[in-house]
């Protein structure tokens, strides 16, 4: 069973519009990672969140961690074609070196 | 630094064949791991290592072996390939022993097809 649920599975956004991706865990989160993947390539680290309420930004990408809801959101402001790709959340849920990943959200940015 | 390198990039095997996927990192990272990525499944942990000489199983270890004789290298062996092992394989490494305390760096992946 998928212990990290990402939503939506895919989305298409007009260039310049905002978008949000959610990642929900069925277990306690000890650390939450966001990665981006372009087709046929490896994963690129975006940011890591550890504490409840923590919020980090990298350019136009902001991620928040809601510890109570065991959920993280990734928000992209004024999307650009360079934001297209697959976004994956990963989490350490048991402090045992075993990282779990969501299935990914495919983002398409239309010019 | 080359970061995390993986070879080969693509591989086609016949059922029953064995092979080794290579992974190397030049960042002096203690923690290394292997994942497989399948459509709709995300990445699943196969095996991991917290240092040279220490390995352990992840979520889907069956059909795979690993060893860690040096800090730099972490090869993944398929003992007898099966079509269910058709996947994209990623190797990752991080400096600290706990993945939640540090960034994991990923290799470019190996696309394996088993016929």
């Amino acid at each position: 069973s998928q212990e990290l649920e990402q939503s939506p599975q895919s989305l298409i956004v007009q260039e310049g519009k905002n978008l949000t991706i959610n990642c929900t865990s069925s277990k306690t989160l000890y650390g939450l990672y966001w990665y981006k993947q372009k087709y046929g390539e490896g994963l690129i680290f975006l940011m890591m969140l550890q504490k409840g309420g923590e919020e980090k930004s990298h350019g136009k990408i902001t991620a928040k961690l809601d510890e109570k809801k065991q959920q993280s959101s990734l928000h992209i402001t004024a999307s650009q074609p360079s934001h297209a790709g697959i976004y994956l959340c990963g989490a350490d849920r048991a402090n045992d070196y075993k990282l779990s990943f969501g299935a990914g959200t495919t983002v398409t940015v239309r010019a | 630094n080359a970061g995390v390198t993986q070879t080969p990039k693509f591989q086609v095997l016949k059922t029953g064949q064995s092979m080794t996927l290579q992974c190397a990192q030049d960042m002096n990272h203690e923690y290394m791991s292997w994942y497989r990525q399948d459509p709709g499944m995300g990445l699943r942990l196969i095996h991991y290592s917290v240092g040279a000489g220490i390995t352990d199983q992840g979520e889907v270890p069956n059909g795979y072996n690993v060893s860690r004789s040096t800090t730099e290298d972490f090869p993944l062996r398929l003992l007898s390939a099966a079509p269910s092992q058709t996947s994209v394989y990623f190797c990752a490494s991080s400096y600290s022993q706990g993945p939640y305390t540090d960034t994991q760096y990923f290799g470019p992946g190996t696309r394996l097809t088993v016929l």
Side-chain angles (χ1 to χ4, degrees):
Chain A
S1 64
Q2 195 70 42
E3 294 175 344
L4 274 180
E5 295 285 341
Q6 278 188 244
S7 62
Q9 210 170 19
S10 63
L11 65 92
I12 301 171
V13 64
Q14 197 71 31
E15 185 176 355
K17 298 293 186 184
N18 303 338
L19 67 97
T20 299
I21 301 167
N22 292 308
C23 175
T24 304
S25 173
S26 59
K27 297 184 180 182
T28 301
L29 293 170
Y30 288 89
L32 192 289
Y33 297 76
W34 283 102
Y35 287 88
K36 181 185 174 186
Q37 182 181 28
K38 294 229 168 189
Y39 181 75
E41 297 179 16
L43 279 68
I44 300 169
F45 171 77
L46 294 175
M47 56 194 86
M48 176 182 72
L49 305 166
Q50 279 186 267
K51 302 172 188 175
E54 189 171 14
E55 180 175 323
K56 287 186 179 178
S57 292
H58 180 68
K60 294 187 177 182
I61 302 176
T62 300
K64 300 178 188 178
L65 180 62
D66 186 330
E67 203 171 50
K68 238 177 182 178
K69 291 183 181 176
Q70 294 176 174
Q71 184 179 70
S72 177
S73 62
L74 185 85
H75 184 76
I76 299 177
T77 304
S79 59
Q80 299 167 351
S82 60
H83 290 129
I86 302 169
Y87 290 82
L88 295 105
C89 64
D92 178 13
R93 294 166 293 105
N95 194 18
D96 61 357
Y97 314 134
K98 297 178 182 179
L99 210 59
S100 297
F101 283 85
T105 296
T106 301
V107 172
T108 303
V109 180
R110 289 245 169 98
Chain B
N1 285 353
V4 180
T5 57
Q6 289 184 239
T7 55
K9 199 158 187 174
F10 300 94
Q11 183 69 51
V12 178
L13 291 177
K14 293 182 180 177
T15 297
Q17 285 185 315
S18 63
M19 80 158 293
T20 299
L21 307 185
Q22 301 292 344
C23 173
Q25 51 88 12
D26 60 358
M27 298 174 281
N28 202 31
H29 285 171
E30 290 295 326
Y31 181 88
M32 296 185 74
S33 53
W34 276 102
Y35 295 88
R36 59 178 289 175
Q37 185 177 34
D38 302 292
M41 302 287 291
L43 277 82
R44 290 181 292 169
L45 184 64
I46 305 171
H47 285 285
Y48 66 96
S49 168
V50 298
I54 307 169
T55 63
D56 205 347
Q57 295 181 351
E59 185 184 350
V60 288
N62 292 342
Y64 307 94
N65 269 0
V66 292
S67 59
R68 185 99 179 267
S69 55
T70 66
T71 299
E72 294 76 23
D73 301 297
F74 190 43
L76 178 73
R77 295 184 191 84
L78 277 71
L79 309 171
S80 177
S84 60
Q85 293 179 305
T86 293
S87 186
V88 181
Y89 291 85
F90 289 100
C91 178
S93 74
S94 64
Y95 180 71
S96 65
Q97 290 189 353
Y100 68 94
T101 62
D102 199 2
T103 306
Q104 283 204 52
Y105 295 86
F106 282 79
T110 294
R111 291 186 172 272
L112 176 69
T113 301
V114 182
L115 303 174

